[in-house]
Amino acid sequence: MIRTEDTDRVRILTLDRPDALNAFNEALYDATCEALIDAAADPSVAVVVITGTGRAFSAGTDLVEMAQRNAGGFVNGKHGFPGMVDQLAAFPKPLFLAVNGLGLGIGATVIGFADMVFMSTDARIKCPFTSLGVAPEAASSHTFPALIGRQRAAWVLLSSEWISAEECVELGLAFKAVAPDELMAETLRHAKVLASKSVASLVESKRVLLAALGDSIERARERENDAFKLLLGGPANREALTAFAERRDPDFAAVDARAATLDGDA
C-alpha cells in the first residue's frame, strides 16, 4: 500500500497501489497518515519525499469508495482524508513531492502542502472538482491562490482541465520538470542538500516560513468542508459518479435544468 525507504536522512514514501493508479482509499489514507506521523517523530529523518508507483502519482480519492459513501453504510478509516490532510498541514519537516505521473484531486492539491515539487515531464495534474459536482479540497482554495494568484488558481480549480508539468512550473506549482528517468535523482539531489542540515534548524525555518499563513489553512478547510457537505451526494455529484460508472460525460446542464424546474414549482 505504501513503501518506505531511507537514504541519507531522506525518507521516501512511495504510494504503491498501481492497479488503482494509486488512488486513495481509506486504507491508503490511513497508511500515508501513519507514515507521516512516524517520519515527523523519527529524529533520523530530516526530509520526506512522496512519490508514486507506475504511471500515476495518485488518481485522487477512490471514486468507487466515494460512490459507496453516497450509498450509505460506509466505514471510515482510522484517519481517512481529514486525518491525512491534518498531518500534511502540520508536517514539521521539509516535504518534497516527486510527481511521477498523473495527479488528480488530492494527487494535485497535495502540492499546496509541499515545500518543493519536482515533476516528470510526462506528468500532469487535474483538479476535477467541478467535473465531479463538488468543491475544492485540502485547503487548495487558499494554498493555490497563495502560490499562483487568484486568476490562475481559478482556472486550475474550476476548469477541471489537465495542467502539464511545464505549465505547473510556469504557474509556480512546481519547482522543476525533469525527464522521467531523472526525476528521483534530481529530487533526491535537492532533498539531500537540506537533509545535510540541522533538523532543528529545518523545523524552525519551516515554521517561520509558514507562520504568516496563520490560521488561514484551517479556515479554508472549514469552508471547503461546508461546501463538500452541501454538494457530496447531491444531484450533480450523483450524475458525475453515474456517468463515470457508465463511461460517459456527465450532463450537468440537464441536472441544472431539473433543479431550476423544481425551484420554479416550489
Side-chain angles (χ1 to χ4, degrees):
M1 190 67 70
I2 190 164
R3 291 188 284 108
T4 301
E5 177 187 353
D6 290 344
T7 175
D8 296 331
R9 304 214 304 169
V10 177
R11 178 159 295 174
I12 305 168
L13 304 179
T14 303
L15 307 177
D16 193 17
R17 200 177 173 228
D19 291 345
L21 299 180
N22 301 320
F24 280 91
N25 57 6
E26 290 294 288
L28 185 54
Y29 278 129
D30 284 354
T32 306
C33 186
E34 293 288 350
L36 289 170
I37 292 170
D38 290 347
D42 191 333
S44 70
V45 175
V47 179
V48 165
V49 175
I50 300 177
T51 191
T53 301
R55 67 186 185 90
F57 175 62
S58 172
T61 295
D62 191 312
L63 294 184
V64 174
E65 282 201 350
M66 182 183 284
Q68 292 171 349
R69 187 185 299 274
N70 288 346
F74 183 80
V75 178
N76 291 324
K78 178 182 177 181
H79 302 287
F81 172 84
M84 191 185 80
V85 176
D86 286 344
Q87 292 304 317
L88 288 168
F91 193 71
K93 299 173 181 178
L95 179 65
F96 283 39
L97 302 182
V99 182
N100 56 295
L102 307 178
L104 290 87
I106 187 61
T109 56
V110 66
I111 286 172
F113 296 112
D115 298 297
M116 297 199 76
V117 177
F118 296 81
M119 295 182 70
S120 162
T121 50
D122 289 345
R124 51 183 180 157
I125 66 166
K126 178 193 283 192
C127 296
F129 309 118
T130 54
S131 67
L132 292 172
V134 291
E137 64 179 13
S140 57
S141 61
H142 171 76
T143 59
F144 275 34
L147 282 169
I148 64 177
R150 179 179 173 183
Q151 291 189 55
R152 291 177 171 184
W155 176 251
V156 173
L157 293 173
L158 301 183
S159 69
S160 293
E161 290 288 306
W162 286 105
I163 311 295
S164 70
E166 290 79 5
E167 289 172 315
C168 284
V169 172
E170 181 181 350
L171 288 170
L173 289 171
F175 182 66
K176 276 190 176 184
V178 298
D181 59 352
E182 298 174 6
L183 175 64
M184 283 307 299
E186 185 68 3
T187 303
L188 288 174
R189 184 173 73 82
H190 286 78
K192 289 178 181 180
V193 170
L194 283 123
S196 68
K197 307 300 189 289
S198 158
V199 173
S201 177
L202 291 172
V203 168
E204 284 303 301
S205 297
K206 179 169 177 175
R207 184 184 66 79
V208 297
L209 276 170
L210 297 179
L213 296 177
D215 63 352
S216 52
I217 286 180
E218 181 179 347
R219 288 187 284 111
R221 290 180 64 193
E222 290 172 355
R223 291 189 295 268
E224 291 169 359
N225 289 341
D226 289 342
F228 239 87
K229 289 175 184 176
L230 177 67
L231 295 170
L232 189 65
N237 182 229
R238 290 198 303 271
E239 164 62 13
L241 294 176
T242 299
F244 174 78
E246 296 176 353
R247 298 182 181 276
R248 61 173 175 81
D249 292 332
D251 187 353
F252 293 125
V255 172
D256 291 342
R258 287 195 296 272
T261 299
L262 292 173
D263 289 342
D265 292 342

